[in-house]
Amino acid sequence: ARHATRMLIDNLTALDIKDGVDLIQRDVLKALKQLVTEERTYDIIFFDPPYASPVYQPVMKQLGETTLLSPEGWLVVEH
């Protein structure tokens, strides 16, 4: 996970993208709860859980029940 995060940071830097991105590397269910509390909304959410992870269903349920994804937003899921 750290290697992937480092690659994402390097790519954002190379593309000179500084604003409009939240890169979060922590427990997904805790992160979602915090983001809902902060009333955050995103146009694009990438979700790539580990293979056979038990978090897939709870995360999809929580995303469907909250306003984290904007009405016209995109949810990109690796499953």
Side-chain angles (χ1 to χ4, degrees):
R2 288 184 184 181
H3 177 70
T5 302
R6 181 76 249 158
M7 285 179 38
L8 288 169
I9 291 169
D10 290 347
N11 287 337
L12 291 168
T13 301
L15 295 169
D16 198 32
I17 298 173
K18 298 175 185 158
D19 299 319
V21 174
D22 290 326
L23 183 57
I24 302 166
Q25 183 181 339
R26 63 180 287 210
D27 177 85
V28 66
L29 296 174
K30 290 179 183 175
L32 289 176
K33 184 177 180 179
Q34 178 183 345
L35 294 170
V36 167
T37 300
E38 295 172 0
E39 298 181 354
R40 304 295 294 266
T41 300
Y42 296 92
D43 294 325
I44 302 173
I45 297 176
F46 292 94
F47 175 48
D48 186 8
Y51 180 75
S53 172
V55 302
Y56 178 81
Q57 290 295 338
V59 168
M60 295 302 290
K61 183 177 188 307
Q62 193 165 3
L63 288 173
E65 294 174 347
T66 66
T67 58
L68 284 173
L69 186 63
S70 68
E72 299 296 321
W74 287 63
L75 175 60
V76 181
V77 179
E78 176 73 28
H79 180 62

